[in-house]
Amino acid sequence: LSDTEVTDGVNIINNLVPEELSLHQNYPNPFNPQTTINWSMPHPGMVSITIYNLQGQNIDNLFYGFKDAGTHEQIWDASILPSGTYFYRMILNKTTLQKKMLLLK
């Protein structure tokens, strides 16, 4: 910029609303005893995040409720559970996404 140029502010390139629905890998993974689960949603809606064991049993209903568009995170504490492989499933409207995670104690 020269001494005679004037700027009118900053252009916002990223408005922080994701373009597509995604369920991110938890971190840390493997974990003990807490892990963070992140997801991104381009539109607001009712979301459920549920934890299952290898037998398909529902272990924990981590979140159920309305969320605005954007990126969200939820911490899961598995202190009372044994080591093993677990699955976390997100349902938004009619879309279901799932990932697996490993608890090592």
Side-chain angles (χ1 to χ4, degrees):
L1 290 175
S2 72
D3 292 338
T4 58
E5 291 180 1
V6 177
T7 61
D8 63 354
V10 176
N11 290 327
I12 299 173
I13 296 172
N14 184 350
N15 62 4
L16 302 178
V17 174
E19 293 182 10
E20 62 183 21
L21 180 66
S22 61
L23 179 61
H24 308 285
Q25 187 63 51
N26 66 300
Y27 66 89
N29 189 36
F31 68 98
N32 177 27
Q34 291 185 338
T35 189
T36 301
I37 296 170
N38 288 293
W39 70 94
S40 300
M41 41 196 281
H43 306 288
M46 293 297 289
V47 178
S48 70
I49 306 287
T50 310
I51 311 293
Y52 295 90
N53 64 13
L54 274 175
Q55 291 76 38
Q57 297 167 314
N58 182 330
I59 299 299
D60 196 357
N61 295 315
L62 195 55
F63 179 82
Y64 178 78
F66 181 85
K67 286 286 189 185
D68 288 325
T71 300
H72 307 279
E73 74 175 28
Q74 187 76 35
I75 295 173
W76 184 50
D77 188 326
S79 297
I80 63 170
L81 295 170
S83 294
T85 301
Y86 294 87
F87 297 92
Y88 54 105
R89 182 179 299 165
M90 175 185 71
I91 299 174
L92 173 66
N93 300 326
K94 296 179 181 177
T95 303
T96 301
L97 300 173
Q98 180 173 288
K99 296 213 180 267
K100 72 178 178 178
M101 57 188 163
L102 184 60
L103 171 60
L104 287 180
K105 291 192 172 182

